[in-house]
Amino acid sequence: MKASVDEQWARYGRALIGSMSEVLGETPDDIHANLLETADYWLSLGLVLGLREPTHAQQLLQVIEAHEAERGELERDASGLISEVFQ
């Protein structure tokens, strides 16, 4: 049975919190909601960019990865997020 949008939204929220657990553990509790909202915004923006402007999204990712020590880590994190949301 396919999960409902509400179930997927709840899984997404848990996955987002889980993926940010290190950051959340290092910051005061009173700013966690702002951090999560910011992360959600930028992730959503990236998804829209990837769908509507895939060439620019790929170029931007190359710029970001040029300064990212572990490209594989980004790919693993992305795969983990997807598997948690769409189990």
Side-chain angles (χ1 to χ4, degrees):
M1 184 171 140
K2 186 175 180 181
S4 72
V5 172
D6 287 341
E7 290 169 337
Q8 289 174 337
W9 178 252
R11 287 181 192 162
Y12 168 71
R14 288 191 300 271
L16 186 62
I17 290 168
S19 67
M20 292 191 60
S21 62
E22 185 176 329
V23 172
L24 296 174
E26 297 172 354
T27 57
D29 290 346
D30 63 331
I31 66 168
H32 288 184
N34 289 341
L35 290 172
L36 292 167
E37 185 176 341
T38 301
D40 175 59
Y41 172 79
W42 285 106
L43 179 57
S44 298
L45 183 72
L47 291 168
V48 169
L49 178 63
L51 290 171
R52 298 199 177 140
E53 298 284 341
T55 301
H56 287 131
Q58 185 175 19
Q59 291 170 341
L60 183 57
L61 187 56
Q62 289 171 348
V63 169
I64 292 166
E65 288 177 341
H67 297 283
E68 178 65 37
E70 276 286 326
R71 177 182 177 176
E73 186 175 342
L74 282 175
E75 291 177 359
R76 284 189 298 278
D77 290 347
S79 294
L81 182 69
I82 292 295
S83 67
E84 287 183 50
V85 175
F86 299 110
Q87 320 176 6

